[in-house]
Every structure is written in C-alpha cells, then in structure tokens.
Amino acid sequence: MRKYQNTSDKLIPIVFLLTILILWEAAVNLGVVERYVLPSPTDIIAALIANGSDLMMHAGTTFFEGMTGLLVAVCLSLIMAIVMDLFPVVKKAIYPVLVMSQTVPIIVIAPLLAMWFGFGIAPKIFVVVLVCFFPITVSLIEGLQSVDGELINLVRSMGAKKRQIFTKIKFPSALPYFFSGLKIAATYSIMGAVIGEWLGGKAGLGVYMLRARHAFALDLVFASILVIVVLSIGLFYGIAGIQRVMMPWEKLKEEEE
Amino acid sequence: MPTGPLPMNTCQNKCVLKVLGVTKEYNHKNIIQNINIHLNQGEFVSILGPSGCGKSTLFNVIAGLLPPEDGQVFVNEKEVTGETGKVSYMYQKDLLLPWRNVIDNAILPLEIRGIPKKEARETVKAMLSIFQLADDGKKYPIQLSGGMKQRVSLLRTTMFSQEIMLLDEPFGGLDAITRMKMQAYLLEILNKIKGSVLFITHDIDEAIFLSDRIYIINGSPAQIVSEMVVPIKHASPEEMMTAEALRQLRSDILKCL
C-alpha cells in the first residue's frame, strides 16, 4: 500500500506536466497561438536536436561558470559563517549588510561588473558568487546557532575546547542546514551565470539566447531555457546525492518515518 | 530513628564530592543559596525537589559550567570550583549525536580527552554487553527507542567518568513502564561499575527506590531543607507499598516539600 502510494505520488506531477505539454502542443497546432509567438513543445525539441552541438558548447561554458562560482561561494560562506559564529561582534556588524546587499537587484549590478571586469569569464563568475553566497551563508549560520545549548554544555562539561565543540558538534549539526542552502544556491548558480552572460561575452547560454532572440528564433530561446532548467535540476539532484552520501543517518530517518 | 535528619557535611567513607556553601544568583536574585552536600564513594544520593527550583543550576555549578557567587566545590578533597571536566553529567534529553552510531556516540568523551578514535572504540566495545547494547553498536540513534537512547547516554556518561556521575532527571522523559525498567537497569549497571551518583529527581518514589541518602531541596531561593537516609535500599514493589519505615520516610519527605 505504501509502495503504491509512493509511486502514485511520483506519478502525479508527471501526469500534470504531460497534460500541460499536450494542451500547449494542441493550442499551437490548432492556431490558437501563432507559432512565431509561441513555438510548440515539438518545435522546441526539434530545434534542440538540430542545434545540439552549439547548445552543448554554450551550456558547457555556462556550467563551468556556474560551478566555479558555486565553489567560490561555498568557500566564502564557510569562512564567513565560521568567523561570524566565533565572533558575535562580526555577525552583528556584517549580517544586516548581507541582508541589505541581497535587496539590490542583480540585474542592476551585473552591468557594473562588466564595466569593472570586462567581458571575460570573471564578471559572470562574480554574479554567480553574489547570487549563491547569501543562501549558503544564511543557512549555515542558522544551522550553527540552532545547536542545542544543553548539548554544548554537555561537551563543555567534558572539558571540550572551543575548536572541538565546533568540529565535533556544531559543524556536523549544521550540515543539514548547509545542504538546504546549497541546494537553493545550486539552482540559482546557472541562472546567475546566464544573467552575467546576457550583458555580453563570447560564449554561454545567455549569449546564445540573446543571439537567438535577435534572430527571432523563439524555438531556440525555448530550447536554451530547457537546457538551463535541465542543468539546474541536475545540479540540485547532484547535491542532494552528495548530501545522502555524506549524511547516511538522514536516509534512516526517512525509512523510520 | 532511622529516617531522622542527620548532621550535615558528615563524610564517613571516602568523600568524593563536597559542595560547601554554594550560592548562585541569576539577575541579582539568588536561585540557590548556601547549599552544602556531599557524596561518598559508591554512594547513590538523590536531590529531591519540585521542578524548576534550581536543582539543575546546582548541577551546572558542580560541573563547572557556571561559576558560583559564593561557595566551593571539592572533588577528592581538591577544590575544583568553576572547573569543567571533573565529573560526568547526564541530562534528561539523551543528547545523542544523530550522525554518529552508538559506539561513536559513546566515544565522544574519550575523543575530547584526546584518545585516538580506534582505541576509544575498543574501550567502548568492551562495555557494550554490560550496558545490554551488545548488538546495537552500529545502530544510529534514530533507530533506537527512548529507553535505549538513555542507555547509550548513560554509557557515554560512564565513559567520561564513573567516579562521580551527575544524573539530571535522566528518566524524566520516559513513560512510567520504561522508567521502572531503566531504574532497575541503572542499579544493575552501578553494581557492576561501582560509581558514585548524584541524582536529581522530583519523583519521591524514584528517589526512595534508588538512593542511599536523599537531600530535600525547596524554597526560593532553594536551600537544602533536610537530609534523610533510606532505611530499606532498593525496596521491592511490595515493600515500597507496605513497609512501615518507608511509609514514614515518605510522609517526612512530603512534610518538607
């Protein structure tokens, strides 16, 4: 019964998605919407296949920018969160600034970055770092601060030093929080890279989309979107996979439930 | 008069723990005032009092987690006021680390002391059967029942120190039946490892069943209002109900509360 429940849970979104796609296809084919305004799903797939190698090349660039930015953001977040956790003064000083920085639209900052760093790969990675840094840092700090005070007292009563409390208790406790932040950041990372590319450059899905739009090749624009979605979801599940490997006890929890 | 009050601060056997005139305030208000207690080697002493009267504060002072405003704590005749790492401490919450299995949870105090993991694991493995956990070493806390978790927590406590153990309502979170089983289990373990225990509880029958001696703590600020010796140790359920000496003790305790 439970197994049946599980498969039907997975089936529901698939059926829903298929229904929408079929309606979409029908609407375009019946002429409800003009094809040059909205290409049908089959048009998009066809464009995707026809331009596969181009798309792959550009997706590779975007993926590289996204991953590099994500990696830099993770390192920065780790350092930032650890410093903020060790020195509450730093947290008090920086945290509000961090929140404020997130209210500035990235689309406004990106042109400035192009002015400062040129049209190479650096400003793209910078955008990704800007977008990814915040969710990782905030969730990591929250995780570090949500550790049970009695647990800290217990290990303190055992004579643990500050460093031991951090490595043995606080950091592992914060891991689930860290990963939920990382999963959000991962889905943002590809988007961040695309926004960076929009402002100009030689390669990347953003550049490709821009060119396709100028040529009114809407099917190619949608094909690029599809690639972006697939990349982002792939990253999301990749990180979820790493999480399962690094935190086997979480899987047990699901089994118990 | 077997149940009458004794003169305070009499150390007959080797006195492992002595608390002299401890006062602790919080927000300029005394929580506990002029507490004098002692614990002899191999003895089981309960501190019995209503919830929230400051029993845990007293334990935090003894464990060195809170510095007292006044008074001293001695372990084996040596002053250790405000020093952590001298006594082991067990809370009502099991405070097991969900990312570690039973063995690795129990090695935590040894690890903190700097003993290599491998050696610590061997030490713990040798103890598993005594704690009736022989087959559970590789299990994660999520796979254990409430009573089992407290067994692991007790094992971890004894791994730190068997000499002086502070148990802060360790069975308070368990259902009545499991609690009864755990009380018998605790006595069985203590019989094997010969530890000295200071035990916090608000359950009169629990205190009578487990203890050699009982301190009654009450009032605001909390003070030791009486000290009683239990005339029948580890009374059977029938004795608990019928023995005249215990009936007398129970009514004496109730008068103090």
Side-chain angles (χ1 to χ4, degrees):
Chain A
M1 188 62 204
R2 219 176 106 182
K3 196 155 192 177
Y4 171 77
Q5 183 75 37
N6 248 334
T7 31
S8 82
D9 276 356
K10 276 178 195 147
L11 228 61
I12 289 169
I14 294 174
V15 169
F16 177 68
L17 206 64
L18 274 178
T19 316
I20 290 188
L21 285 176
I22 289 167
L23 284 176
W24 178 359
E25 183 76 40
V28 177
N29 282 336
L30 292 173
V32 182
V33 203
E34 290 298 334
R35 205 172 285 272
Y36 66 86
V37 177
L38 183 70
S40 75
T42 45
D43 294 339
I44 296 167
I45 300 290
L48 185 74
I49 294 165
N51 299 278
S53 62
D54 270 6
L55 272 167
M56 280 287 274
M57 192 269 286
H58 289 288
T61 309
T62 305
F63 186 71
F64 173 75
E65 290 162 357
M67 284 305 284
T68 314
L70 187 61
L71 221 66
V72 174
V74 168
C75 296
L76 280 179
S77 305
L78 280 173
I79 296 167
M80 199 70 161
I82 290 168
V83 171
M84 283 206 232
D85 186 65
L86 285 177
F87 309 103
V89 183
V90 179
K91 190 194 166 194
K92 276 182 195 136
I94 293 182
Y95 200 84
V97 180
L98 215 67
V99 176
M100 256 190 282
S101 75
Q102 285 304 301
T103 61
V104 180
I106 219 75
I107 210 90
V108 177
I109 298 179
L112 294 176
L113 292 176
M115 278 169 64
W116 295 333
F117 300 109
F119 290 97
I121 208 165
K124 281 92 180 169
I125 292 173
F126 206 103
V127 174
V128 178
V129 174
L130 275 183
V131 185
C132 295
F133 174 72
F134 187 72
I136 305 176
T137 310
V138 169
S139 43
L140 196 53
I141 290 172
E142 207 182 308
L144 289 173
Q145 315 249 300
S146 67
V147 183
D148 193 332
E150 281 193 344
L151 183 55
I152 306 263
N153 269 346
L154 177 75
V155 285
R156 269 183 61 212
S157 84
M158 295 174 183
K161 295 175 198 73
K162 230 178 167 178
R163 183 182 51 82
Q164 287 176 315
I165 294 177
F166 189 86
T167 54
K168 292 190 194 304
I169 309 294
K170 281 188 141 185
F171 188 69
S173 300
L175 266 187
Y177 291 82
F178 169 71
F179 272 108
S180 41
L182 190 59
K183 277 188 271 189
I184 296 172
T187 55
Y188 285 178
S189 67
I190 299 297
M191 185 200 76
V194 170
I195 291 177
E197 289 160 357
W198 252 337
L199 297 151
K202 291 177 202 71
L205 286 171
V207 177
Y208 190 75
M209 270 172 92
L210 217 60
R211 287 184 198 156
R213 208 188 64 195
H214 286 316
F216 289 101
L218 278 196
D219 48 354
L220 272 183
V221 174
F222 275 94
S224 314
I225 293 175
L226 188 62
V227 174
I228 291 169
V229 169
V230 169
L231 275 183
S232 302
I233 291 180
L235 266 179
F236 180 89
Y237 281 107
I239 285 169
I242 296 174
Q243 181 177 16
R244 263 198 298 281
V245 173
M246 281 187 70
M247 301 169 29
W249 62 92
E250 290 283 308
K251 205 175 88 206
L252 292 172
K253 192 153 66 185
E254 283 160 28
E255 279 167 17
E256 288 296 307
E257 282 160 5
Chain B
M1 258 282 284
T3 59
L6 289 173
M8 296 204 174
N9 289 315
T10 44
C11 280
Q12 292 113 340
N13 296 333
K14 188 180 169 242
C15 182
V16 287
L17 174 74
K18 193 151 76 174
V19 176
L20 271 185
V22 161
T23 297
K24 177 70 199 167
E25 64 176 38
Y26 183 74
N27 281 344
H28 307 292
K29 208 175 139 247
N30 282 357
I31 307 274
I32 51 175
Q33 190 171 298
N34 193 26
I35 302 281
N36 292 293
I37 57 175
H38 70 274
L39 176 67
N40 295 326
Q41 190 158 33
E43 209 181 10
F44 195 118
V45 175
S46 286
I47 296 173
L48 178 64
S51 298
C53 75
K55 295 177 300 226
S56 298
T57 308
L58 173 61
F59 266 24
N60 280 328
V61 170
I62 297 174
L65 295 170
L66 293 173
E69 260 64 50
D70 200 12
Q72 293 150 302
V73 179
F74 294 89
V75 167
N76 291 325
E77 311 291 332
K78 236 179 71 196
E79 185 174 354
V80 295
T81 319
E83 283 178 41
T84 58
K86 302 292 171 194
V87 297
S88 58
Y89 199 154
M90 176 175 169
Y91 289 83
Q92 177 176 342
K93 278 190 254 172
D94 58 74
L95 297 175
L96 296 177
L97 309 177
W99 57 89
R100 287 181 174 222
N101 63 25
V102 167
I103 292 174
D104 284 359
N105 260 294
I107 65 169
L108 185 66
L110 302 175
E111 242 184 293
I112 287 173
R113 210 181 290 158
I115 294 168
K117 269 191 185 181
K118 210 172 159 196
E119 197 185 320
R121 285 199 184 108
E122 291 308 314
T123 315
V124 167
K125 275 181 198 160
M127 298 297 286
L128 284 179
S129 63
I130 294 179
F131 283 78
Q132 296 168 27
L133 291 163
D135 302 324
D136 308 305
K138 299 273 186 230
K139 285 189 184 160
Y140 283 92
I142 189 86
Q143 298 168 298
L144 303 175
S145 66
M148 295 271 274
K149 282 183 194 162
Q150 283 305 57
R151 281 188 206 180
V152 180
S153 178
L154 184 65
L155 169 60
R156 179 178 61 185
T157 310
T158 59
M159 278 295 124
F160 179 75
S161 156
Q162 306 175 358
E163 197 178 10
I164 306 166
M165 294 188 274
L166 308 181
L167 309 185
D168 187 351
E169 294 196 36
F171 311 138
L174 303 175
D175 62 89
I177 297 162
T178 313
R179 186 195 302 197
M180 257 165 56
K181 283 186 190 154
M182 284 302 288
Q183 288 167 354
Y185 171 84
L186 175 63
L187 290 178
E188 208 184 306
I189 297 282
L190 286 175
N191 202 21
K192 283 179 193 151
I193 64 169
K194 313 276 180 225
S196 320
V197 174
L198 203 55
F199 190 93
I200 283 181
T201 182
H202 58 249
D203 182 329
I204 297 175
D205 284 337
E206 183 171 67
I208 293 174
F209 175 64
L210 292 172
S211 316
D212 300 313
R213 236 167 358 111
I214 300 173
Y215 288 105
I216 319 280
I217 188 168
N218 202 3
S220 178
Q223 285 173 299
I224 301 287
V225 293
S226 183
E227 179 187 359
M228 297 172 188
V229 172
V230 179
I232 304 172
K233 270 176 213 167
H234 314 152
S236 65
E238 298 85 68
E239 282 175 312
M240 282 296 262
M241 301 286 283
T242 56
E244 177 59 24
L246 292 185
R247 210 188 52 75
Q248 183 62 42
L249 175 65
R250 203 174 285 126
S251 90
D252 286 348
I253 291 173
L254 279 170
K255 268 179 220 153
C256 296
L257 289 172

